[in-house]
Amino acid sequence: MSNKLLAPDGWLVLGLPWPEQTQDGWGECAVAVAPTMIPRHLVSKGAGIALDLATSLARDPNDGPGKAVFFSDVTLWLDKQGKDWADFGADYEAVIDELVNAPVPQLYMTLVQKAHAILCDASRDGVRLYYPGGDVEHVTPQVRADVHAAITTSLERDWPSYIQGLIDRGALQTQ
């Protein structure tokens, strides 16, 4: 079996709507896919572009955020190039919906609301978080990098056993 199944080069992490039901401030609000595991014939051109860009960013030591690439990272990278999803004929919401519903391995993730907000933020200057009591936090690039690192650590820990479980149940073929 290829080690790339258990330890892919990177993941594309998609933000889901914040759930109505949470537990101690944590909610299941993200899903990760391994772009290199997804045959491009299973997805639209727009979703394929998102997967390919995420793969490139995961491997890029200069512009990339590391192995856990947020969909918002891809959007921000496009913006830096003077482009957006429409330039590729893609509706980013439709691409997210398609990837969430694709028949491919995907690991759902539970995050705190702050991490979820950062995961979903594609603003150029970073999101501002408003807290009860009037405090405002401007999320710095370092805080965003910390969220990337935490999500990467979680995926590196949880992905191999998730994929191995799919293989053991016969839900994922290795050949």
Side-chain angles (χ1 to χ4, degrees), residues 47-112:
I49 289 168
L51 295 169
D52 291 342
L53 289 173
T55 299
S56 294
L57 283 171
R59 293 175 178 162
D60 186 335
N62 299 319
D63 278 339
K67 289 178 71 173
V69 176
F70 304 163
F71 192 87
S72 61
D73 294 326
V74 179
T75 302
L76 283 165
W77 184 86
L78 287 173
D79 183 65
K80 286 181 188 175
Q81 311 310 310
K83 299 190 180 309
D84 62 25
W85 289 104
D87 292 325
F88 298 98
D91 173 339
Y92 74 93
E93 290 176 343
V95 168
I96 291 171
D97 287 343
E98 178 183 353
L99 291 172
V100 167
N101 293 305
V104 299
Q106 39 189 261
L107 183 62
Y108 281 78
M109 303 183 75
T110 302
L111 305 172
V112 295

Side-chain angles (χ1 to χ4, degrees), residues 99-131:
L99 291 172
V100 167
N101 293 305
V104 299
Q106 39 189 261
L107 183 62
Y108 281 78
M109 303 183 75
T110 302
L111 305 172
V112 295
Q113 197 166 16
K114 178 178 176 177
H116 177 257
I118 293 167
L119 163 71
C120 296
D121 176 45
S123 65
R124 292 177 184 152
D125 299 323
V127 69
R128 289 191 189 324
L129 302 173
Y130 295 85
Y131 296 98

Side-chain angles (χ1 to χ4, degrees), residues 15 26 32 67 80 147 152 154-155:
W26 291 79
K67 289 178 71 173
K80 286 181 188 175
V147 172
T152 298
S154 176
L155 287 167

